[in-house]
Amino acid sequence: VAPDIAEVIPGLRGPAYNESFLNPCWTNPLTRKLQCLPAFYIVGGFQCGARDLSLRLLRATNIAPPASFNNAFWTSSTPTQ
């Protein structure tokens, strides 16, 4: 949960983020493994140019490629992921 949201909603607490990373990262207390969320997520409908934008952004050295470009979860009536 984003810290600014947690301040507004009493009793809502998210993980303590590790400030040494640009992305929101935290250590899972059960597995003691580092977990991170993406700093951004490109969402777009069919034929909107989102894939082209993603491929252009991947030319930057500090952007990791996604596990999959096809996130049908957002566009199908029966999510696959």
Side-chain angles (χ1 to χ4, degrees):
V1 175
D4 56 334
I5 293 174
E7 292 172 3
V8 177
I9 304 171
L12 181 64
R13 290 183 297 139
Y17 294 139
N18 186 330
E19 298 293 328
S20 62
F21 295 95
L22 293 176
N23 295 23
C25 296
W26 66 95
T27 303
N28 184 322
L30 299 176
T31 62
R32 297 185 185 207
K33 290 184 180 180
L34 183 68
Q35 295 182 307
C36 298
L37 295 174
F40 61 90
Y41 189 85
I42 299 173
V43 178
F46 294 112
Q47 303 296 320
C48 74
R51 183 176 173 91
D52 182 61
L53 174 62
S54 298
L55 292 173
R56 290 172 187 263
L57 287 171
L58 284 175
R59 293 179 188 166
T61 58
N62 60 344
I63 296 180
S68 171
F69 280 106
N70 301 321
N71 291 313
F73 175 86
W74 300 105
T75 57
S76 67
S77 58
T78 55
T80 58
Q81 298 178 0

